[in-house]
Amino acid sequence: MPTRSSPLAPTVTRLALLASLLTLGGCAQKATSPQDDQRQTAQVAVDQAISADDPAAIARARMTLSQSLSGASRAEQQLSALETAIDAHELKLARKLYQQTDTEALWDDINSRRASIARGLGEWSGGNPEQARRTIHRIPLPLDNDSERRRLLLLGALEAELGNPLAAARYYDAVDDRLDKNARETNHARLWNLLTEVPADRLRREAEQTGSRQFAGWLDLALTYRQQPGEIDRWAASHRGHPAIESGLLEMLGATEPMGQLTAPAGTGPVAVLLPEGERYAGITREIRAGIEYARGNGALGGREVLFFDSGSDRIGARAAIEQAQRAGVSLIIGPLLKEQLGALTALPTGGPLAIALNSPPSGEPLPDGVVSFSLAPEQDAVAVARRMWTDGHRRAAIFSADHDLGERTREAFASEFELLGGEVVDRAHFASNQTDFTSELRSLLRVRTKSDDGPFQPIIRGDLDAIFLAASGDELSLVVPQLDYFGADDLPRYGLGLAYNGNRDPRGDADKNGVIIPIAPLLLAGTAGPENPLRITYEQAQLAGPLPRLFAFGADAVALAGRMDRLLKGGTLDGLTGELSVTPTGMVERQPRWGQFRQGLIQPVDPTDDAALPGSLTSPARLQGSTPPAGQKTDGSSLPTSTP
C-alpha cells in the first residue's frame, strides 16, 4: 500500500536546507585570517582618530595599518603617516615613524616629489639635518599645494635646528597662507619666537632686503616691540590686515587702540630738499639736484615750490636744515641723504610734514615715524637677482663675492632669497678687495680639472652648478669674468649687481664683463638704445648733469614719489627712472628693476621676468608688489614724463 507523504514534508525539507546553509555561512564568516583581523582593527583605529581630529593619532594609526598591507598599499599608508605628522608639525613623531618604514624603494613609483620629502625627513631622522636640507632644496618645483606646504614646514624646522632663526622665520612666513586658521595661530607664535632670537641689526637689514611685504611687517613688529614697545599701536595702524593682527598676537604684546599711521602730505606748501653741499659730496649732490629739478620742471609736484637746504655731513647739520624747513612752512621733506643723518628726522612733530629719506637707517636703528625710506640699496638688487635667476630656470648656484661689507651684505641677501625660493647655494667663495689674481679661489669654487695632462689647457668645471652670482663692483667684475672664462666657466650663466654699470657707454672698460646679467635702471638702458627709445632724451639730459646718470634718476624718482605719495600709500605703483616703485606698510620704497646684459662691451636689454614662475607661496599679493612691466608701460598713470617739454 503506497505511503502517503505528509503535506508538511516539503516545508520541513526547505527549513532543514536553510538551516544547513545558515550553518555553512556562519562557518565561512568565522574563517578570517589573523591578518584580516589586524587590518580591520587598524582601520577602525584610523577612522576613530580621524573622527577625533587628532593628527598624531592618525599618523600612528596609519603606520600601524600599513603593517597589515603589502606592496603599493603598504607604501602609500607609510607615506601618508609621515605626511600627516609633518602637516601637524609633529616633526619628532614624524622622524620616529620614519624609523618604522620599510617601503622606501616603492615611494618613487607613487610620487617622486613626495618620496624626496620623505627621504629628507629620513636624513633628519638619521641625525643629518644639513643633508636633509640639501635634499629638500633639490626637489624639482613647482609642487602641488600639499607638498609645497610640507617642504616649507620642514625647511623652517631644519633652519631652526641648524641655528638659523631668521631663515626659519622666513619659511614659516612663506607657508602661512597654506595653513588653516588654527594652524596659522600656532605658526604665528612659532614665527614670533624665532624672531625674538634675531639681533636687532639683522632684523633691520632683512627688513630692507626682503621682497615680501608680509615678512617685512613681521620684522618691523619685532623691531618695534624690542626698541619702542609703546608704539605697537602705531605698528598696528600701518599694517591693517597683517596676520599678526588677525591671530590676536598683538593683544598678547599689549596693543590697545590704533594710533597714527603713515599718511600722505595734506598741504600744498613748498617741498624741502635736504642735501649736503660740502666739497666732499658736491658731485653727488649736483647730480641728484639735477634730477630733482628735471622732475619738478616736468610737473611732478604740480607746480609747488622747491626749497633747497644744506644738510651738512652729520646729524647736527641735518637737524638744523629740518628746523629751517619747518620755519619755511614746507608740506614735505626730501632727504637727508647720509645714513647717519636719518636719526635727525625724529625731531619732526606728530602730524608734521612727511619725509622721504634718501637712504636706509643704519643697522639696528628703526625708521623714524612718518618717514619713507628710498634708497638704491645693493641688497635690493641682490634679492632681485635671486628671483631673476630662479625664473630663468636655475636652481643650483655658486656665489663669488668681495670680502668687504658690501660683498657680505649682498651675498647674504641673495642666498637668503634664493634658498627661500627653493634654490640651493651649492658653494661660495670670496676674494680680497685689492686682489687681481683669483686662480686659487676659482679653481676651488669651480673644482677645475683638465681633460688631459698633455697638450693645451682644457679646463672642465663641476657639473652641479646652474649659475653663479658675482657680488662685486664694476672694476672687480672686469677682473673676475675673464678668469671665469679661462677656467672653463664661459658657458656658466653669470649674474651681478646693478652697481657693476655706471650708466655710461664704455665698450673697452665693459668688454671684460661679457655675459653678466644685472638689474638696471630703465634710464640707464636708454644709453645704448637708439633714438626711438622713449627715455633717450632724458638720458642725454642726465649725462649733461654729470658722469653718474643713476643719481640723476634717483633724484627724479624722489620727486616723483613725493608727487604721487597718496596713491603709493594706497598700494599703487610708480613707473620711475630707477624702476617700478611701490611703498610697503613699513615705509620702505621697493624697486623692481629692468634687466640688462653685457654683450661686446655694451649693456643690452634682457626680457623682463615673469613672477608666475616663482613658487606660489611667494607670489601672493601680500608678498609682492608685482612684476616689472615692459619698458615704457605705465602702471596706473603714475609715471615720469619720458622727455623734456
Side-chain angles (χ1 to χ4, degrees), residues 300 374 522 556-565 567-568 571-583 589-592 594 625 629 633-641:
F374 177 41
D557 277 0
V559 170
L561 286 167
R564 297 290 182 176
M565 190 56 65
R567 289 192 185 184
L568 292 166
T573 58
L574 168 69
D575 193 11
L577 300 182
T578 60
E580 184 187 73
L581 308 177
S582 56
V583 180
V589 175
E590 290 188 348
R591 176 173 46 87
Q592 301 290 340
R594 301 289 196 274
Q625 300 290 343
Q633 177 180 323
K634 299 180 181 180
T635 56
D636 64 351
S638 305
S639 59
L640 282 171

Side-chain angles (χ1 to χ4, degrees), residues 595-619:
W595 294 92
Q597 184 178 37
F598 291 102
R599 301 172 190 159
Q600 299 179 339
L602 296 177
I603 193 74
Q604 300 291 344
V606 178
D607 291 338
T609 59
D610 181 6
D611 279 339
L614 294 170
S617 57
L618 302 175
T619 56

